[in-house]
Amino acid sequence: MDTLQSSQFPRLDSCSRETIINYFKNSWELEDVLMKSLVGEETFYISPDPLRNRLIFYLGHSAVFYINKFLGVGLLDKPINANYEILFEIGVDPETPEELDQATKDIHWPTVEEVWRYRDQVYGVVIETIEKTPLNLPIHQNHPLWALMMGIEHSRTHFETSSMLIRQLPVERLERPDSWNYAVSNGKVSKNEMLQVSGGSVELGKPEDYPTYGWDSEYGNRSVEVKPFLASEYLITNGEFLEFVNDNGYDNPDYWDKESWTWKTIYNIKHPKFWIPTNSGYKYRAMFDEIDLPLDWPVEVNHHEAMAYCRWKGQGIRLMSEAEWNLATAGRDESSTNFQQDPFAIQDYNLNLKFGSPSPVGMLETARSPAGLYDLRGNVWEWLSDDFKPLPGFKPHRLYEDYSAPFFDTQHNMMLGGAWVTTGTEASTFYRNWFRPYFYQHAGFRIAAS
């Protein structure tokens, strides 16, 4: 997977033009690799997830984003294709498949060849823009090239969301790239002990002058005093979740609240999304293949399923909070009661396509936190107990005012830490991710207790 791994994060106070070009090229290549894995033009017009657009939308979306943001800051003075820059601009966050169908029923999509040709045009425009625009470091939030960095990180975000959609396609519609390698599985489930995490003060929020790109939801500041708590040493594995499934956990309403039971019943959910029932148990859907269920990999579920497992475990078992996760992830500065962390150190974790899949929990000793918890960063995103809310001092960025603000409600749950497929600044500890509780992402959970 080395050829797909991201180049270094550009430090926006000292980066070179070459560093930015390489970072852009890598993000572009990632999307190309996924989209070129689709077999047959008709596959682009499928919606693998009933709550997401057809794949043709994602082929054009990231390219259009660059152009519209460049227009917004004066890096371009006219559109490349005004029709495309409307058609492919806005994504969806529907509550039901019917809502999505209604919103897209009158769209006439262009051919795949036409959209690839548009992508080629945009690639040339972006390279030319990087080469001719004065750097004038640092690149801050009001710098014209902030639009470029926003485009690159947006592309990386959609590489990840597109991977989730492609993973839901039938395997015969896909061709696994030569460079794509899955982690091994030893088929054994480690004893998952509850460890005590010491309490302390934690500061949430990214400093305004931090020299890397950040999304608006990362900024602001909240100080939290965290009480000592217990958390599972490892993320909950497929093997552990199999016990819940075999105990008829999906059929017992005691483990589900009203909203999640309704969701489970309507869609007849009986097991995690990427488990495939067989006569002898379950197989597992990896990105491009069906393989034996890796019992030691973290289970991937939505928030509803994670909470049902917690209720099944009983005894006050819950998910961690955002503040607890940040405290557990950090390392202690022995000279004070404050906690320190390197938010952009990614090489020690299953992030940035170290593998083309999750990996056995606890496999990477370097992914063990000072608190003794493994895979707080990487492997899979970790669902938390918090609803997605702004930090005090939050301000939407003028180039993307609806990036996060519309989702500050009780309908979106937080996840942190990144996954094996997470690249760019989204892999930092500052990034605050969110999804509806019934949406799927490369996400799992660990259990906690007060």
Side-chain angles (χ1 to χ4, degrees):
M1 302 292 290
D2 290 351
T3 58
L4 295 178
Q5 290 187 324
S6 297
S7 53
Q8 67 188 83
F9 301 113
R11 278 188 61 100
L12 302 185
D13 58 353
S14 59
C15 59
S16 68
R17 202 179 303 274
E18 181 182 8
T19 297
I20 296 175
I21 288 175
N22 289 338
Y23 193 59
F24 161 71
K25 286 182 176 179
N26 173 258
S27 67
W28 196 270
E29 179 189 5
L30 290 173
E31 286 197 301
D32 276 359
V33 165
L34 277 190
M35 291 301 172
K36 289 177 180 178
S37 73
L38 304 186
V39 174
E41 182 167 334
E42 67 279 1
T43 302
F44 284 87
Y45 299 95
I46 294 174
S47 299
D49 189 310
L51 295 173
R52 290 299 193 201
N53 264 315
R54 302 180 192 204
L55 290 169
I56 187 73
F57 172 83
Y58 299 100
L59 180 62
H61 178 59
S62 293
V64 157
F65 189 93
Y66 282 106
I67 299 306
N68 286 336
K69 299 312 174 190
F70 283 8
L71 290 168
V73 297
L75 291 175
L76 288 178
D77 56 11
K78 62 180 180 180
I80 290 180
N81 183 323
N83 291 333
Y84 281 17
E85 284 134 26
I86 295 173
L87 175 62
F88 291 104
E89 180 178 23
I90 300 176
V92 291
D93 183 37
E95 294 190 24
T96 65
E98 292 74 24
E99 183 182 331
L100 175 61
D101 291 342
Q102 186 63 30
T104 58
K105 63 182 177 65
D106 295 325
I107 293 178
H108 298 285
W109 298 100
T111 68
V112 174
E113 181 182 358
E114 289 169 337
V115 182
W116 276 117
R117 199 156 52 236
Y118 176 79
R119 276 181 63 86
D120 290 342
Q121 286 182 277
V122 172
Y123 180 88
V125 167
V126 175
I127 292 293
E128 181 183 1
T129 300
I130 299 173
E131 290 175 339
K132 74 178 185 182
T133 303
L135 279 181
N136 296 334
L137 299 176
I139 300 174
H140 50 74
Q141 293 191 43
N142 294 315
H143 194 295
L145 287 179
W146 192 261
L148 167 69
M149 302 313 300
M150 181 179 285
I152 294 174
E153 299 301 339
H154 172 266
S155 173
R156 292 176 178 277
T157 299
H158 276 281
F159 164 70
E160 183 166 342
T161 54
S162 294
S163 73
M164 175 53 59
L165 298 178
I166 288 173
R167 193 176 172 188
Q168 297 176 61
L169 285 170
V171 292
E172 59 268 18
R173 289 192 175 274
L174 296 169
E175 183 175 344
R176 176 160 52 91
D178 292 338
S179 57
W180 204 277
N181 300 308
Y182 304 129
V184 298
S185 170
N186 60 31
K188 300 177 182 178
V189 180
S190 301
K191 184 178 180 181
N192 200 354
E193 297 181 352
M194 298 293 283
L195 303 182
Q196 180 165 323
V197 180
S198 301
S201 298
V202 64
E203 298 289 328
L204 305 182
K206 184 175 187 174
E208 289 280 345
D209 59 353
Y210 203 90
T212 58
Y213 179 83
W215 295 101
D216 57 15
S217 55
E218 299 174 34
Y219 297 104
N221 181 264
R222 176 183 293 135
S223 299
V224 183
E225 190 69 31
V226 179
K227 295 180 180 180
F229 64 97
L230 300 173
S232 59
E233 183 177 9
Y234 306 116
L235 294 161
I236 299 302
T237 61
N238 286 313
E240 291 172 281
F241 204 85
L242 182 60
E243 297 177 19
F244 169 73
V245 174
N246 289 341
D247 196 34
N248 297 315
Y250 276 86
D251 296 320
N252 190 332
D254 292 343
Y255 306 142
W256 306 80
D257 62 16
K258 182 179 179 181
E259 179 185 353
S260 60
W261 183 257
T262 299
W263 163 81
K264 188 205 73 67
T265 303
I266 289 175
Y267 296 102
N268 193 31
I269 307 298
K270 298 291 186 181
H271 51 76
K273 178 82 168 177
F274 298 109
W275 291 16
I276 305 165
T278 67
N279 291 334
S280 58
Y282 294 94
K283 300 279 280 186
Y284 173 85
R285 172 58 192 268
M287 265 298 297
F288 300 100
D289 304 276
E290 295 177 4
I291 63 175
D292 292 337
L293 181 65
L295 297 177
D296 52 355
W297 291 8
V299 69
E300 295 148 291
V301 293
N302 65 23
H303 195 272
H304 284 329
E305 293 164 308
M307 287 301 300
Y309 181 92
C310 289
R311 297 185 190 102
W312 173 72
K313 293 293 285 186
Q315 300 176 330
I317 294 298
R318 57 177 175 80
L319 303 177
M320 286 204 300
S321 70
E322 179 181 16
E324 288 172 337
W325 182 92
N326 275 274
L327 187 145
T329 304
R332 184 184 292 277
D333 176 355
E334 298 296 344
S335 65
S336 72
T337 58
N338 293 325
F339 290 84
Q340 311 295 325
Q341 58 191 0
D342 181 354
F344 287 90
I346 62 173
Q347 66 276 5
D348 293 339
Y349 311 96
N350 187 6
L351 289 165
N352 193 34
L353 297 169
K354 181 184 286 287
F355 303 106
S357 68
S359 53
V361 299
M363 183 183 82
L364 298 176
E365 190 62 31
T366 52
R368 181 179 182 269
S369 78
L373 310 184
Y374 286 84
D375 297 323
L376 284 161
R377 296 182 64 186
N379 217 346
V380 295
W381 289 95
E382 185 162 338
W383 284 111
L384 302 177
S385 58
D386 305 66
D387 292 333
F388 183 51
K389 295 178 181 178
L391 296 171
F394 165 81
K395 300 185 295 290
H397 194 278
R398 66 181 182 85
L399 282 178
Y400 201 168
E401 292 189 347
D402 60 351
Y403 171 73
S404 59
F407 310 107
F408 294 143
D409 53 27
T410 60
Q411 305 303 313
H412 295 80
N413 299 98
M414 286 195 65
M415 55 175 70
L416 294 178
W420 57 271
V421 71
T422 307
T423 72
T425 60
E426 195 177 10
S428 83
T429 58
F430 288 127
Y431 186 75
R432 307 172 74 229
N433 203 358
W434 72 95
F435 274 89
R436 291 187 183 272
Y438 48 81
F439 270 31
Y440 288 95
Q441 192 61 359
H442 304 283
F445 66 105
R446 81 180 67 237
I447 56 175
S450 301

